[in-house]
PDB file of all heavy atoms in Angstrom:
ATOM      1  N   ILE B 414    -100.543 279.683 -14.802  1.00 72.00           N
ATOM      2  CA  ILE B 414    -101.704 280.362 -14.243  1.00 72.00           C
ATOM      3  C   ILE B 414    -101.464 280.690 -12.771  1.00 72.00           C
ATOM      4  O   ILE B 414    -101.846 281.737 -12.288  1.00 72.00           O
ATOM      5  CB  ILE B 414    -102.946 279.486 -14.425  1.00 72.00           C
ATOM      6  CG1 ILE B 414    -103.220 279.273 -15.912  1.00 72.00           C
ATOM      7  CG2 ILE B 414    -104.157 280.110 -13.769  1.00 72.00           C
ATOM      8  CD1 ILE B 414    -104.230 278.199 -16.213  1.00 72.00           C
ATOM      9  N   TYR B 432     -97.881 268.833 -28.392  1.00 82.00           N
ATOM     10  CA  TYR B 432     -99.222 269.142 -28.883  1.00 82.00           C
ATOM     11  C   TYR B 432     -99.177 269.592 -30.340  1.00 82.00           C
ATOM     12  O   TYR B 432     -99.962 269.133 -31.172  1.00 82.00           O
ATOM     13  CB  TYR B 432     -99.828 270.248 -28.008  1.00 82.00           C
ATOM     14  CG  TYR B 432    -101.100 270.859 -28.544  1.00 82.00           C
ATOM     15  CD1 TYR B 432    -102.338 270.248 -28.304  1.00 82.00           C
ATOM     16  CD2 TYR B 432    -101.071 272.030 -29.299  1.00 82.00           C
ATOM     17  CE1 TYR B 432    -103.512 270.790 -28.801  1.00 82.00           C
ATOM     18  CE2 TYR B 432    -102.239 272.574 -29.797  1.00 82.00           C
ATOM     19  CZ  TYR B 432    -103.451 271.960 -29.547  1.00 82.00           C
ATOM     20  OH  TYR B 432    -104.596 272.510 -30.031  1.00 82.00           O
ATOM     21  N   GLN B 449     -91.686 278.867 -49.884  1.00 95.00           N
ATOM     22  CA  GLN B 449     -91.943 279.141 -51.307  1.00 95.00           C
ATOM     23  C   GLN B 449     -92.401 280.572 -51.527  1.00 95.00           C
ATOM     24  O   GLN B 449     -91.861 281.300 -52.349  1.00 95.00           O
ATOM     25  CB  GLN B 449     -93.056 278.222 -51.798  1.00 95.00           C
ATOM     26  CG  GLN B 449     -92.587 277.023 -52.563  1.00 95.00           C
ATOM     27  CD  GLN B 449     -93.778 276.198 -52.957  1.00 95.00           C
ATOM     28  OE1 GLN B 449     -94.519 275.698 -52.113  1.00 95.00           O
ATOM     29  NE2 GLN B 449     -93.999 276.062 -54.241  1.00 95.00           N
ATOM     30  N   LEU B 456     -88.078 287.777 -54.385  1.00 95.00           N
ATOM     31  CA  LEU B 456     -87.367 288.020 -55.631  1.00 95.00           C
ATOM     32  C   LEU B 456     -88.203 288.881 -56.574  1.00 95.00           C
ATOM     33  O   LEU B 456     -87.740 289.896 -57.106  1.00 95.00           O
ATOM     34  CB  LEU B 456     -87.023 286.703 -56.299  1.00 95.00           C
ATOM     35  CG  LEU B 456     -85.877 285.957 -55.612  1.00 95.00           C
ATOM     36  CD1 LEU B 456     -85.700 284.596 -56.253  1.00 95.00           C
ATOM     37  CD2 LEU B 456     -84.596 286.769 -55.702  1.00 95.00           C
ATOM     38  N   LEU B 494    -111.261 295.777 -48.705  1.00 89.00           N
ATOM     39  CA  LEU B 494    -111.108 294.339 -48.859  1.00 89.00           C
ATOM     40  C   LEU B 494    -111.972 293.746 -49.962  1.00 89.00           C
ATOM     41  O   LEU B 494    -111.526 292.919 -50.743  1.00 89.00           O
ATOM     42  CB  LEU B 494    -111.525 293.724 -47.508  1.00 89.00           C
ATOM     43  CG  LEU B 494    -111.047 292.331 -47.230  1.00 89.00           C
ATOM     44  CD1 LEU B 494    -109.543 292.291 -47.336  1.00 89.00           C
ATOM     45  CD2 LEU B 494    -111.490 291.961 -45.832  1.00 89.00           C
ATOM     46  N   TYR B 498    -110.935 291.375 -53.080  1.00 94.00           N
ATOM     47  CA  TYR B 498    -111.330 289.970 -53.024  1.00 94.00           C
ATOM     48  C   TYR B 498    -112.029 289.562 -54.321  1.00 94.00           C
ATOM     49  O   TYR B 498    -111.763 288.508 -54.878  1.00 94.00           O
ATOM     50  CB  TYR B 498    -112.240 289.743 -51.831  1.00 94.00           C
ATOM     51  CG  TYR B 498    -112.637 288.298 -51.625  1.00 94.00           C
ATOM     52  CD1 TYR B 498    -111.788 287.444 -50.933  1.00 94.00           C
ATOM     53  CD2 TYR B 498    -113.827 287.796 -52.135  1.00 94.00           C
ATOM     54  CE1 TYR B 498    -112.129 286.108 -50.758  1.00 94.00           C
ATOM     55  CE2 TYR B 498    -114.182 286.474 -51.952  1.00 94.00           C
ATOM     56  CZ  TYR B 498    -113.335 285.643 -51.268  1.00 94.00           C
ATOM     57  OH  TYR B 498    -113.675 284.327 -51.090  1.00 94.00           O
ATOM     58  N   GLN B 503    -112.735 286.466 -58.670  1.00 92.00           N
ATOM     59  CA  GLN B 503    -113.655 286.348 -59.787  1.00 92.00           C
ATOM     60  C   GLN B 503    -113.057 286.730 -61.131  1.00 92.00           C
ATOM     61  O   GLN B 503    -113.529 286.299 -62.171  1.00 92.00           O
ATOM     62  CB  GLN B 503    -114.930 287.162 -59.505  1.00 92.00           C
ATOM     63  CG  GLN B 503    -115.731 286.534 -58.392  1.00 92.00           C
ATOM     64  CD  GLN B 503    -116.841 287.423 -57.890  1.00 92.00           C
ATOM     65  OE1 GLN B 503    -117.328 288.302 -58.593  1.00 92.00           O
ATOM     66  NE2 GLN B 503    -117.257 287.205 -56.651  1.00 92.00           N
ATOM     67  N   LYS B 508    -107.961 282.078 -56.388  1.00 92.00           N
ATOM     68  CA  LYS B 508    -108.317 281.412 -55.137  1.00 92.00           C
ATOM     69  C   LYS B 508    -107.711 280.032 -55.094  1.00 92.00           C
ATOM     70  O   LYS B 508    -107.660 279.322 -56.105  1.00 92.00           O
ATOM     71  CB  LYS B 508    -109.844 281.323 -55.051  1.00 92.00           C
ATOM     72  CG  LYS B 508    -110.314 281.225 -53.640  1.00 92.00           C
ATOM     73  CD  LYS B 508    -111.818 281.288 -53.557  1.00 92.00           C
ATOM     74  CE  LYS B 508    -112.214 281.078 -52.110  1.00 92.00           C
ATOM     75  NZ  LYS B 508    -113.633 281.078 -51.927  1.00 92.00           N
ATOM     76  N   ASP B 509    -107.217 279.665 -53.927  1.00 93.00           N
ATOM     77  CA  ASP B 509    -106.598 278.363 -53.752  1.00 93.00           C
ATOM     78  C   ASP B 509    -105.424 278.116 -54.677  1.00 93.00           C
ATOM     79  O   ASP B 509    -105.207 277.015 -55.168  1.00 93.00           O
ATOM     80  CB  ASP B 509    -107.625 277.246 -53.918  1.00 93.00           C
ATOM     81  CG  ASP B 509    -108.359 276.993 -52.618  1.00 93.00           C
ATOM     82  OD1 ASP B 509    -107.710 277.056 -51.566  1.00 93.00           O
ATOM     83  OD2 ASP B 509    -109.576 276.741 -52.660  1.00 93.00           O
ATOM     84  N   LEU B 585    -105.739 283.561 -45.184  1.00 91.00           N
ATOM     85  CA  LEU B 585    -107.048 283.466 -44.531  1.00 91.00           C
ATOM     86  C   LEU B 585    -108.169 283.684 -45.536  1.00 91.00           C
ATOM     87  O   LEU B 585    -109.176 282.997 -45.526  1.00 91.00           O
ATOM     88  CB  LEU B 585    -107.136 284.509 -43.405  1.00 91.00           C
ATOM     89  CG  LEU B 585    -108.516 284.764 -42.819  1.00 91.00           C
ATOM     90  CD1 LEU B 585    -108.928 283.620 -41.927  1.00 91.00           C
ATOM     91  CD2 LEU B 585    -108.556 286.062 -42.045  1.00 91.00           C
ATOM     92  N   VAL B 588    -107.455 281.046 -49.280  1.00 92.00           N
ATOM     93  CA  VAL B 588    -107.081 279.645 -49.278  1.00 92.00           C
ATOM     94  C   VAL B 588    -108.075 278.819 -48.472  1.00 92.00           C
ATOM     95  O   VAL B 588    -108.337 279.100 -47.311  1.00 92.00           O
ATOM     96  CB  VAL B 588    -105.653 279.474 -48.698  1.00 92.00           C
ATOM     97  CG1 VAL B 588    -105.399 278.039 -48.354  1.00 92.00           C
ATOM     98  CG2 VAL B 588    -104.640 279.980 -49.706  1.00 92.00           C
ATOM     99  N   ASN B 589    -108.661 277.830 -49.127  1.00 89.00           N
ATOM    100  CA  ASN B 589    -109.487 276.869 -48.416  1.00 89.00           C
ATOM    101  C   ASN B 589    -108.809 275.508 -48.377  1.00 89.00           C
ATOM    102  O   ASN B 589    -109.157 274.656 -47.578  1.00 89.00           O
ATOM    103  CB  ASN B 589    -110.854 276.719 -49.080  1.00 89.00           C
ATOM    104  CG  ASN B 589    -111.686 277.973 -48.945  1.00 89.00           C
ATOM    105  OD1 ASN B 589    -111.732 278.561 -47.866  1.00 89.00           O
ATOM    106  ND2 ASN B 589    -112.316 278.409 -50.014  1.00 89.00           N
ATOM    107  N   ARG B 602    -104.614 281.369 -36.430  1.00 86.00           N
ATOM    108  CA  ARG B 602    -105.847 280.651 -36.082  1.00 86.00           C
ATOM    109  C   ARG B 602    -105.899 280.363 -34.587  1.00 86.00           C
ATOM    110  O   ARG B 602    -106.923 280.545 -33.945  1.00 86.00           O
ATOM    111  CB  ARG B 602    -105.881 279.324 -36.821  1.00 86.00           C
ATOM    112  CG  ARG B 602    -106.441 279.429 -38.209  1.00 86.00           C
ATOM    113  CD  ARG B 602    -106.491 278.046 -38.795  1.00 86.00           C
ATOM    114  NE  ARG B 602    -106.815 278.080 -40.193  1.00 86.00           N
ATOM    115  CZ  ARG B 602    -106.510 277.096 -41.036  1.00 86.00           C
ATOM    116  NH1 ARG B 602    -105.843 276.030 -40.596  1.00 86.00           N
ATOM    117  NH2 ARG B 602    -106.852 277.180 -42.287  1.00 86.00           N
ATOM    118  N   ASN B 605    -106.522 283.813 -32.822  1.00 77.00           N
ATOM    119  CA  ASN B 605    -107.875 284.326 -33.036  1.00 77.00           C
ATOM    120  C   ASN B 605    -108.905 283.538 -32.256  1.00 77.00           C
ATOM    121  O   ASN B 605    -109.856 284.098 -31.726  1.00 77.00           O
ATOM    122  CB  ASN B 605    -108.238 284.240 -34.522  1.00 77.00           C
ATOM    123  CG  ASN B 605    -107.653 285.390 -35.296  1.00 77.00           C
ATOM    124  OD1 ASN B 605    -107.002 286.237 -34.710  1.00 77.00           O
ATOM    125  ND2 ASN B 605    -107.852 285.395 -36.594  1.00 77.00           N
ATOM    126  N   PHE B 609    -111.316 285.083 -29.586  1.00 71.00           N
ATOM    127  CA  PHE B 609    -112.745 284.941 -29.802  1.00 71.00           C
ATOM    128  C   PHE B 609    -113.411 284.378 -28.541  1.00 71.00           C
ATOM    129  O   PHE B 609    -114.461 284.833 -28.112  1.00 71.00           O
ATOM    130  CB  PHE B 609    -112.981 283.987 -30.980  1.00 71.00           C
ATOM    131  CG  PHE B 609    -114.239 283.208 -30.910  1.00 71.00           C
ATOM    132  CD1 PHE B 609    -115.436 283.780 -31.293  1.00 71.00           C
ATOM    133  CD2 PHE B 609    -114.237 281.911 -30.449  1.00 71.00           C
ATOM    134  CE1 PHE B 609    -116.609 283.062 -31.213  1.00 71.00           C
ATOM    135  CE2 PHE B 609    -115.397 281.193 -30.372  1.00 71.00           C
ATOM    136  CZ  PHE B 609    -116.589 281.769 -30.749  1.00 71.00           C
ATOM    137  N   GLY B 619    -123.337 279.156 -22.771  1.00 50.00           N
ATOM    138  CA  GLY B 619    -124.647 278.587 -23.033  1.00 50.00           C
ATOM    139  C   GLY B 619    -124.613 277.437 -24.018  1.00 50.00           C
ATOM    140  O   GLY B 619    -125.518 276.626 -24.059  1.00 50.00           O
ATOM    141  N   ILE B 620    -123.572 277.372 -24.804  1.00 54.00           N
ATOM    142  CA  ILE B 620    -123.575 276.404 -25.872  1.00 54.00           C
ATOM    143  C   ILE B 620    -122.641 275.248 -25.574  1.00 54.00           C
ATOM    144  O   ILE B 620    -122.229 274.524 -26.453  1.00 54.00           O
ATOM    145  CB  ILE B 620    -123.262 277.117 -27.209  1.00 54.00           C
ATOM    146  CG1 ILE B 620    -124.263 278.249 -27.404  1.00 54.00           C
ATOM    147  CG2 ILE B 620    -123.400 276.206 -28.381  1.00 54.00           C
ATOM    148  CD1 ILE B 620    -123.987 279.110 -28.568  1.00 54.00           C
ATOM    149  N   SER B 621    -122.299 275.104 -24.333  1.00 53.00           N
ATOM    150  CA  SER B 621    -121.514 273.970 -23.850  1.00 53.00           C
ATOM    151  C   SER B 621    -120.426 273.561 -24.824  1.00 53.00           C
ATOM    152  O   SER B 621    -120.413 272.470 -25.370  1.00 53.00           O
ATOM    153  CB  SER B 621    -122.418 272.772 -23.586  1.00 53.00           C
ATOM    154  OG  SER B 621    -122.898 272.202 -24.771  1.00 53.00           O
ATOM    155  N   ILE B 622    -119.508 274.444 -25.078  1.00 56.00           N
ATOM    156  CA  ILE B 622    -118.376 274.087 -25.924  1.00 56.00           C
ATOM    157  C   ILE B 622    -117.207 273.788 -24.981  1.00 56.00           C
ATOM    158  O   ILE B 622    -117.049 274.425 -23.948  1.00 56.00           O
ATOM    159  CB  ILE B 622    -118.035 275.218 -26.900  1.00 56.00           C
ATOM    160  CG1 ILE B 622    -116.996 274.737 -27.894  1.00 56.00           C
ATOM    161  CG2 ILE B 622    -117.594 276.467 -26.206  1.00 56.00           C
ATOM    162  CD1 ILE B 622    -116.843 275.691 -29.072  1.00 56.00           C
ATOM    163  N   PHE B 627    -109.076 273.731 -26.673  1.00 62.00           N
ATOM    164  CA  PHE B 627    -108.345 274.751 -27.406  1.00 62.00           C
ATOM    165  C   PHE B 627    -106.913 274.851 -26.957  1.00 62.00           C
ATOM    166  O   PHE B 627    -106.583 274.588 -25.814  1.00 62.00           O
ATOM    167  CB  PHE B 627    -109.062 276.086 -27.259  1.00 62.00           C
ATOM    168  CG  PHE B 627    -110.388 276.094 -27.915  1.00 62.00           C
ATOM    169  CD1 PHE B 627    -111.542 276.033 -27.169  1.00 62.00           C
ATOM    170  CD2 PHE B 627    -110.480 276.117 -29.283  1.00 62.00           C
ATOM    171  CE1 PHE B 627    -112.782 276.007 -27.776  1.00 62.00           C
ATOM    172  CE2 PHE B 627    -111.720 276.094 -29.908  1.00 62.00           C
ATOM    173  CZ  PHE B 627    -112.869 276.045 -29.156  1.00 62.00           C
TER     174      PHE B 627
ATOM    175  N   LEU C1135     -84.680 277.973 -58.003  1.00 58.00           N
ATOM    176  CA  LEU C1135     -85.831 278.794 -58.388  1.00 58.00           C
ATOM    177  C   LEU C1135     -86.742 278.040 -59.334  1.00 58.00           C
ATOM    178  O   LEU C1135     -87.957 278.067 -59.202  1.00 58.00           O
ATOM    179  CB  LEU C1135     -85.362 280.079 -59.043  1.00 58.00           C
ATOM    180  CG  LEU C1135     -84.758 281.066 -58.091  1.00 58.00           C
ATOM    181  CD1 LEU C1135     -84.292 282.292 -58.836  1.00 58.00           C
ATOM    182  CD2 LEU C1135     -85.786 281.433 -57.043  1.00 58.00           C
ATOM    183  N   LEU C1138     -88.769 275.783 -57.484  1.00 57.00           N
ATOM    184  CA  LEU C1138     -89.833 276.511 -56.781  1.00 57.00           C
ATOM    185  C   LEU C1138     -90.987 276.820 -57.709  1.00 57.00           C
ATOM    186  O   LEU C1138     -92.151 276.611 -57.369  1.00 57.00           O
ATOM    187  CB  LEU C1138     -89.294 277.796 -56.217  1.00 57.00           C
ATOM    188  CG  LEU C1138     -88.643 277.702 -54.838  1.00 57.00           C
ATOM    189  CD1 LEU C1138     -87.983 279.009 -54.497  1.00 57.00           C
ATOM    190  CD2 LEU C1138     -89.682 277.341 -53.807  1.00 57.00           C
ATOM    191  N   SER C1141     -92.959 273.735 -58.556  1.00 55.00           N
ATOM    192  CA  SER C1141     -93.835 273.259 -57.481  1.00 55.00           C
ATOM    193  C   SER C1141     -94.938 274.257 -57.236  1.00 55.00           C
ATOM    194  O   SER C1141     -96.045 273.884 -56.855  1.00 55.00           O
ATOM    195  CB  SER C1141     -93.038 272.979 -56.229  1.00 55.00           C
ATOM    196  OG  SER C1141     -92.669 274.180 -55.632  1.00 55.00           O
ATOM    197  N   ALA C1142     -94.653 275.546 -57.439  1.00 53.00           N
ATOM    198  CA  ALA C1142     -95.703 276.544 -57.247  1.00 53.00           C
ATOM    199  C   ALA C1142     -96.828 276.318 -58.229  1.00 53.00           C
ATOM    200  O   ALA C1142     -97.998 276.407 -57.917  1.00 53.00           O
ATOM    201  CB  ALA C1142     -95.145 277.950 -57.414  1.00 53.00           C
ATOM    202  N   SER C1149    -104.900 271.861 -56.589  1.00 39.00           N
ATOM    203  CA  SER C1149    -105.916 272.419 -55.697  1.00 39.00           C
ATOM    204  C   SER C1149    -107.287 272.206 -56.347  1.00 39.00           C
ATOM    205  O   SER C1149    -107.387 272.126 -57.557  1.00 39.00           O
ATOM    206  CB  SER C1149    -105.658 273.906 -55.483  1.00 39.00           C
ATOM    207  OG  SER C1149    -105.907 274.592 -56.664  1.00 39.00           O
ATOM    208  N   GLY C1186    -113.862 274.814 -33.611  1.00 80.00           N
ATOM    209  CA  GLY C1186    -112.949 275.305 -32.585  1.00 80.00           C
ATOM    210  C   GLY C1186    -111.518 275.205 -33.079  1.00 80.00           C
ATOM    211  O   GLY C1186    -110.706 276.105 -32.878  1.00 80.00           O
ATOM    212  N   GLU C1187    -111.253 274.121 -33.760  1.00 80.00           N
ATOM    213  CA  GLU C1187    -109.899 273.881 -34.253  1.00 80.00           C
ATOM    214  C   GLU C1187    -110.078 273.039 -35.511  1.00 80.00           C
ATOM    215  O   GLU C1187    -110.935 272.158 -35.532  1.00 80.00           O
ATOM    216  CB  GLU C1187    -109.140 273.083 -33.209  1.00 80.00           C
ATOM    217  CG  GLU C1187    -107.677 273.273 -33.231  1.00 80.00           C
ATOM    218  CD  GLU C1187    -106.988 272.347 -32.227  1.00 80.00           C
ATOM    219  OE1 GLU C1187    -107.667 271.790 -31.364  1.00 80.00           O
ATOM    220  OE2 GLU C1187    -105.789 272.168 -32.346  1.00 80.00           O
ATOM    221  N   LEU C1188    -109.265 273.276 -36.538  1.00 85.00           N
ATOM    222  CA  LEU C1188    -109.452 272.484 -37.750  1.00 85.00           C
ATOM    223  C   LEU C1188    -109.035 271.039 -37.498  1.00 85.00           C
ATOM    224  O   LEU C1188    -108.070 270.758 -36.800  1.00 85.00           O
ATOM    225  CB  LEU C1188    -108.642 273.090 -38.904  1.00 85.00           C
ATOM    226  CG  LEU C1188    -109.239 274.409 -39.433  1.00 85.00           C
ATOM    227  CD1 LEU C1188    -108.496 274.847 -40.664  1.00 85.00           C
ATOM    228  CD2 LEU C1188    -110.728 274.274 -39.737  1.00 85.00           C
ATOM    229  N   PHE C1218    -113.431 279.467 -35.507  1.00 86.00           N
ATOM    230  CA  PHE C1218    -114.298 280.499 -34.959  1.00 86.00           C
ATOM    231  C   PHE C1218    -113.692 281.890 -35.073  1.00 86.00           C
ATOM    232  O   PHE C1218    -114.349 282.848 -35.438  1.00 86.00           O
ATOM    233  CB  PHE C1218    -114.611 280.228 -33.486  1.00 86.00           C
ATOM    234  CG  PHE C1218    -115.769 279.333 -33.288  1.00 86.00           C
ATOM    235  CD1 PHE C1218    -115.595 278.021 -32.875  1.00 86.00           C
ATOM    236  CD2 PHE C1218    -117.058 279.778 -33.540  1.00 86.00           C
ATOM    237  CE1 PHE C1218    -116.678 277.175 -32.703  1.00 86.00           C
ATOM    238  CE2 PHE C1218    -118.139 278.941 -33.362  1.00 86.00           C
ATOM    239  CZ  PHE C1218    -117.955 277.637 -32.957  1.00 86.00           C
ATOM    240  N   ASP C1220    -111.789 283.181 -37.141  1.00 88.00           N
ATOM    241  CA  ASP C1220    -111.747 283.741 -38.504  1.00 88.00           C
ATOM    242  C   ASP C1220    -113.115 283.796 -39.154  1.00 88.00           C
ATOM    243  O   ASP C1220    -113.267 284.360 -40.217  1.00 88.00           O
ATOM    244  CB  ASP C1220    -110.849 282.878 -39.410  1.00 88.00           C
ATOM    245  CG  ASP C1220    -109.425 282.813 -38.926  1.00 88.00           C
ATOM    246  OD1 ASP C1220    -109.065 283.662 -38.106  1.00 88.00           O
ATOM    247  OD2 ASP C1220    -108.682 281.924 -39.366  1.00 88.00           O
ATOM    248  N   GLN C1223    -114.851 287.291 -40.187  1.00 88.00           N
ATOM    249  CA  GLN C1223    -114.083 287.984 -41.229  1.00 88.00           C
ATOM    250  C   GLN C1223    -114.247 287.283 -42.582  1.00 88.00           C
ATOM    251  O   GLN C1223    -114.499 287.911 -43.598  1.00 88.00           O
ATOM    252  CB  GLN C1223    -112.609 287.973 -40.812  1.00 88.00           C
ATOM    253  CG  GLN C1223    -111.677 288.426 -41.895  1.00 88.00           C
ATOM    254  CD  GLN C1223    -111.393 289.894 -41.815  1.00 88.00           C
ATOM    255  OE1 GLN C1223    -110.891 290.367 -40.808  1.00 88.00           O
ATOM    256  NE2 GLN C1223    -111.771 290.634 -42.833  1.00 88.00           N
ATOM    257  N   LYS C1224    -114.099 285.969 -42.567  1.00 92.00           N
ATOM    258  CA  LYS C1224    -114.119 285.233 -43.821  1.00 92.00           C
ATOM    259  C   LYS C1224    -115.523 285.275 -44.454  1.00 92.00           C
ATOM    260  O   LYS C1224    -115.660 285.549 -45.632  1.00 92.00           O
ATOM    261  CB  LYS C1224    -113.685 283.797 -43.557  1.00 92.00           C
ATOM    262  CG  LYS C1224    -113.598 282.984 -44.805  1.00 92.00           C
ATOM    263  CD  LYS C1224    -112.334 282.151 -44.861  1.00 92.00           C
ATOM    264  CE  LYS C1224    -112.214 281.465 -46.194  1.00 92.00           C
ATOM    265  NZ  LYS C1224    -110.897 280.892 -46.419  1.00 92.00           N
ATOM    266  N   SER C1231    -118.621 289.900 -51.401  1.00 91.00           N
ATOM    267  CA  SER C1231    -118.150 289.801 -52.783  1.00 91.00           C
ATOM    268  C   SER C1231    -119.150 289.084 -53.679  1.00 91.00           C
ATOM    269  O   SER C1231    -118.959 289.033 -54.877  1.00 91.00           O
ATOM    270  CB  SER C1231    -116.822 289.073 -52.813  1.00 91.00           C
ATOM    271  OG  SER C1231    -117.029 287.706 -52.584  1.00 91.00           O
ATOM    272  N   GLU C1233    -119.844 285.920 -53.742  1.00 93.00           N
ATOM    273  CA  GLU C1233    -119.352 284.615 -54.177  1.00 93.00           C
ATOM    274  C   GLU C1233    -120.443 283.541 -54.030  1.00 93.00           C
ATOM    275  O   GLU C1233    -121.270 283.598 -53.142  1.00 93.00           O
ATOM    276  CB  GLU C1233    -118.153 284.234 -53.303  1.00 93.00           C
ATOM    277  CG  GLU C1233    -117.392 283.044 -53.767  1.00 93.00           C
ATOM    278  CD  GLU C1233    -116.073 282.957 -53.013  1.00 93.00           C
ATOM    279  OE1 GLU C1233    -115.273 283.889 -53.112  1.00 93.00           O
ATOM    280  OE2 GLU C1233    -115.872 281.954 -52.311  1.00 93.00           O
ATOM    281  N   MET C1244    -122.550 286.181 -33.512  1.00 87.00           N
ATOM    282  CA  MET C1244    -121.394 286.154 -34.402  1.00 87.00           C
ATOM    283  C   MET C1244    -121.913 285.943 -35.816  1.00 87.00           C
ATOM    284  O   MET C1244    -122.791 285.121 -36.025  1.00 87.00           O
ATOM    285  CB  MET C1244    -120.459 285.039 -34.016  1.00 87.00           C
ATOM    286  CG  MET C1244    -119.329 284.887 -35.004  1.00 87.00           C
ATOM    287  SD  MET C1244    -118.173 283.654 -34.491  1.00 87.00           S
ATOM    288  CE  MET C1244    -116.815 284.653 -34.095  1.00 87.00           C
ATOM    289  N   THR C1415    -108.183 277.637 -12.881  1.00 82.00           N
ATOM    290  CA  THR C1415    -107.396 277.430 -11.671  1.00 82.00           C
ATOM    291  C   THR C1415    -108.243 276.853 -10.533  1.00 82.00           C
ATOM    292  O   THR C1415    -107.724 276.378  -9.545  1.00 82.00           O
ATOM    293  CB  THR C1415    -106.801 278.749 -11.150  1.00 82.00           C
ATOM    294  OG1 THR C1415    -107.908 279.635 -10.850  1.00 82.00           O
ATOM    295  CG2 THR C1415    -105.912 279.402 -12.173  1.00 82.00           C
ATOM    296  N   GLN C1427    -128.865 275.886 -17.043  1.00 77.00           N
ATOM    297  CA  GLN C1427    -129.830 274.922 -17.577  1.00 77.00           C
ATOM    298  C   GLN C1427    -129.723 273.673 -16.709  1.00 77.00           C
ATOM    299  O   GLN C1427    -128.655 273.377 -16.203  1.00 77.00           O
ATOM    300  CB  GLN C1427    -129.502 274.551 -19.008  1.00 77.00           C
ATOM    301  CG  GLN C1427    -128.420 275.412 -19.614  1.00 77.00           C
ATOM    302  CD  GLN C1427    -127.843 274.872 -20.874  1.00 77.00           C
ATOM    303  OE1 GLN C1427    -127.700 273.670 -21.060  1.00 77.00           O
ATOM    304  NE2 GLN C1427    -127.486 275.763 -21.761  1.00 77.00           N
ATOM    305  N   ASN C1433    -121.189 270.342 -17.263  1.00 72.00           N
ATOM    306  CA  ASN C1433    -120.385 271.077 -18.243  1.00 72.00           C
ATOM    307  C   ASN C1433    -119.324 271.934 -17.595  1.00 72.00           C
ATOM    308  O   ASN C1433    -118.211 272.067 -18.094  1.00 72.00           O
ATOM    309  CB  ASN C1433    -121.291 271.966 -19.097  1.00 72.00           C
ATOM    310  CG  ASN C1433    -121.830 271.224 -20.289  1.00 72.00           C
ATOM    311  OD1 ASN C1433    -121.194 270.278 -20.752  1.00 72.00           O
ATOM    312  ND2 ASN C1433    -122.966 271.644 -20.762  1.00 72.00           N
ATOM    313  N   HIS C1437    -114.517 272.828 -17.094  1.00 75.00           N
ATOM    314  CA  HIS C1437    -113.931 274.149 -17.331  1.00 75.00           C
ATOM    315  C   HIS C1437    -113.190 274.686 -16.120  1.00 75.00           C
ATOM    316  O   HIS C1437    -112.384 275.588 -16.239  1.00 75.00           O
ATOM    317  CB  HIS C1437    -115.015 275.178 -17.667  1.00 75.00           C
ATOM    318  CG  HIS C1437    -115.684 274.947 -18.988  1.00 75.00           C
ATOM    319  ND1 HIS C1437    -116.002 275.939 -19.841  1.00 75.00           N
ATOM    320  CD2 HIS C1437    -116.078 273.807 -19.581  1.00 75.00           C
ATOM    321  CE1 HIS C1437    -116.577 275.440 -20.902  1.00 75.00           C
ATOM    322  NE2 HIS C1437    -116.638 274.151 -20.767  1.00 75.00           N
ATOM    323  N   TRP C1521    -123.832 271.403 -32.244  1.00 88.00           N
ATOM    324  CA  TRP C1521    -124.768 272.484 -31.946  1.00 88.00           C
ATOM    325  C   TRP C1521    -124.785 273.551 -33.019  1.00 88.00           C
ATOM    326  O   TRP C1521    -125.704 274.357 -33.077  1.00 88.00           O
ATOM    327  CB  TRP C1521    -124.448 273.106 -30.584  1.00 88.00           C
ATOM    328  CG  TRP C1521    -123.040 273.634 -30.465  1.00 88.00           C
ATOM    329  CD1 TRP C1521    -121.955 272.965 -29.978  1.00 88.00           C
ATOM    330  CD2 TRP C1521    -122.567 274.928 -30.830  1.00 88.00           C
ATOM    331  NE1 TRP C1521    -120.837 273.767 -30.027  1.00 88.00           N
ATOM    332  CE2 TRP C1521    -121.192 274.973 -30.547  1.00 88.00           C
ATOM    333  CE3 TRP C1521    -123.175 276.065 -31.390  1.00 88.00           C
ATOM    334  CZ2 TRP C1521    -120.412 276.085 -30.787  1.00 88.00           C
ATOM    335  CZ3 TRP C1521    -122.388 277.173 -31.633  1.00 88.00           C
ATOM    336  CH2 TRP C1521    -121.026 277.186 -31.334  1.00 88.00           C
TER     337      TRP C1521
END
Side-chain angles (χ1 to χ4, degrees):
Chain B
I414 298 167
Y432 169 84
Q449 259 179 298
L456 286 174
L494 200 56
Y498 184 84
Q503 291 169 24
K508 205 174 176 182
D509 275 322
L585 167 75
V588 165
N589 292 317
R602 275 183 189 157
N605 280 358
F609 151 81
I620 305 174
S621 72
I622 189 167
F627 294 105
Chain C
L1135 287 179
L1138 274 172
S1141 74
S1149 69
E1187 207 185 345
L1188 288 187
F1218 273 108
D1220 299 343
Q1223 170 92 60
K1224 183 135 186 168
S1231 73
E1233 190 168 300
M1244 174 176 250
T1415 61
Q1427 351 166 325
N1433 272 334
H1437 292 220
W1521 58 267

